[in-house]
Amino acid sequence: MKFKRFLSIPILAVFMLLGFVYYITVFIFIEDWIGLQSYFGSLNAMIFTFLAALSIFSFSVCVLTDPGQVPASYVPDVEENGISDEEIKRNSVQSKLCDKCSTHKPPRAHHCRVCRRCVLRMDHHCVWVNNCVGYWNYKAFFMLVLYATIGSIHSTVIIITCAFRKDWDFSGHTPVKVTSGFMMAALSLTLGTLLGWHIYLIIHNMTTIEYYEGIRAAWMARKSGQNYRHPFNLGACKNITLVLGPNMLKWLCPTAVSHLKDGLTFPVLRDN
């Protein structure tokens, strides 16, 4: 059933883009630059192939992994782990009732109108993976963006180097190469911006939804003469390990999520 998610026009478009980028990088620009038979040509082709394989693997994991569904038996803890009512109200970490599902949803869970269910620690619904990005597949999504960005930058550098070494003119097939160069530069910029955005979110232990909710919460707090702090921000180092895991050797593996728990409760920053 999960493999049916691949039967989507955006996902097919992603695979076509990956195939096109791989073809022009390896069989056109590396071949034109130094040749695939040379040592450095083979080395660059192997590095780019490795990055492309990691991107496809991370992409597949992100598509096939359920982001996290609220258990039907979920009942909010009345005690809220010992947090005072005032702190709960100020930081908005209490469980809420979903208007669409008519059931309780844990902190950081949100209802997805596309999936028609509540998703644990929902970041956003991504049409390019035909899935929500949530608690269980966020790391795979981040790894996908990371590997795709590195691969795009690598391809762009190869294209620029090829252009300077070969002293392109605008005859023959060169306009196609120039167009491909601009396309890869734009793709690198787009993916790089997305990567920077999610690095910021990870460092602050936020989701995209929580970021925009935080803007409104901060405005409301200033209006009432109070200060707002994101309740789940435990410091950069702790925030990174909560998403990528405590073992640095497993940070780059999209399937290394043994550090994740149930996605129903999260540590919060408490006032002393």
Side-chain angles (χ1 to χ4, degrees), residues 2 4 11 17 34 114 121 128 142 173 179 183 207 240 247 263:
K2 291 183 178 180
K4 289 184 177 180
I11 287 184
L17 178 62
I34 47 180
V114 179
R121 196 188 180 276
W128 302 108
F142 179 74
H173 296 288
T179 303
M183 185 198 74
T207 64
I240 291 173
N247 189 346

Side-chain angles (χ1 to χ4, degrees), residues 1 28 39 67 87 96 114 135 152-153 156 164 173 178 186 211:
M1 292 296 292
I28 294 182
Y39 171 76
E87 187 174 0
K96 300 178 181 178
V114 179
Y135 187 67
S152 297
I153 293 174
T156 304
F164 280 105
H173 296 288
V178 173
Y211 172 81

Side-chain angles (χ1 to χ4, degrees), residues 11 27 31-32 49 55 58 82 107 114 117 119 133 135 162 206-207 231:
I11 287 184
F27 297 105
E31 176 66 29
D32 188 43
T49 300
S55 298
S58 300
V114 179
R117 64 186 175 107
V119 176
V133 177
Y135 187 67
C162 181
M206 287 183 177
T207 64

Side-chain angles (χ1 to χ4, degrees), residues 61-115:
V61 172
C62 192
V63 172
L64 296 175
T65 303
D66 191 294
Q69 188 171 0
V70 180
S73 59
Y74 172 74
V75 177
D77 186 2
V78 178
E79 298 296 328
E80 290 290 344
N81 297 324
I83 303 175
S84 65
D85 293 339
E86 184 180 350
E87 187 174 0
I88 291 172
K89 193 173 294 184
R90 180 171 65 253
N91 289 335
S92 299
V93 298
Q94 75 272 30
S95 301
K96 300 178 181 178
L97 189 67
C98 178
D99 296 333
K100 306 293 190 303
C101 300
S102 298
T103 57
H104 290 284
K105 59 181 180 181
R108 314 189 79 177
H110 294 273
H111 186 89
C112 176
R113 290 177 292 181
V114 179
C115 298

Side-chain angles (χ1 to χ4, degrees), residues 38-238:
S38 65
Y39 171 76
F40 286 106
S42 299
L43 179 62
N44 275 279
M46 288 176 60
I47 292 174
F48 190 77
T49 300
F50 181 64
L51 290 171
L54 288 174
S55 298
I56 293 175
F57 177 65
S58 300
F59 179 76
S60 300
V61 172
C62 192
V63 172
L64 296 175
T65 303
D66 191 294
Q69 188 171 0
V70 180
S73 59
Y74 172 74
V75 177
D77 186 2
V78 178
E79 298 296 328
E80 290 290 344
N81 297 324
I83 303 175
S84 65
D85 293 339
E86 184 180 350
E87 187 174 0
I88 291 172
K89 193 173 294 184
R90 180 171 65 253
N91 289 335
S92 299
V93 298
Q94 75 272 30
S95 301
K96 300 178 181 178
L97 189 67
C98 178
D99 296 333
K100 306 293 190 303
C101 300
S102 298
T103 57
H104 290 284
K105 59 181 180 181
R108 314 189 79 177
H110 294 273
H111 186 89
C112 176
R113 290 177 292 181
V114 179
C115 298
R116 297 180 180 179
R117 64 186 175 107
C118 288
V119 176
L120 298 177
R121 196 188 180 276
M122 179 178 174
D123 186 87
H124 67 287
H125 184 91
C126 182
V127 296
W128 302 108
V129 299
N130 195 23
N131 198 5
C132 269
V133 177
Y135 187 67
W136 289 103
N137 65 348
Y138 180 79
K139 183 180 179 180
F141 175 80
F142 179 74
M143 289 297 108
L144 165 63
V145 177
L146 175 64
Y147 291 132
T149 301
I150 297 174
S152 297
I153 293 174
H154 184 208
S155 176
T156 304
V157 170
I158 290 174
I159 292 173
I160 293 175
T161 305
C162 181
F164 280 105
R165 289 289 180 88
K166 292 297 181 178
D167 191 22
W168 286 352
D169 55 27
F170 287 88
S171 61
H173 296 288
T174 301
V176 177
K177 296 179 179 179
V178 173
T179 303
S180 299
F182 278 113
M183 185 198 74
M184 289 309 305
L187 183 61
S188 299
L189 180 61
T190 302
L191 290 173
T193 302
L194 183 62
L195 176 63
W197 167 248
H198 281 280
I199 289 175
Y200 171 84
L201 292 178
I202 289 176
I203 290 176
H204 293 84
N205 197 7
M206 287 183 177
T207 64
T208 301
I209 295 175
E210 289 171 349
Y211 172 81
Y212 290 105
E213 286 182 342
I215 294 177
R216 183 177 182 276
W219 177 78
M220 295 292 290
R222 287 194 302 268
K223 193 175 180 180
S224 58
Q226 298 178 348
N227 292 325
Y228 171 79
R229 289 189 302 172
H230 183 56
F232 304 104
N233 188 354
L234 307 179
C237 293
K238 182 64 175 178

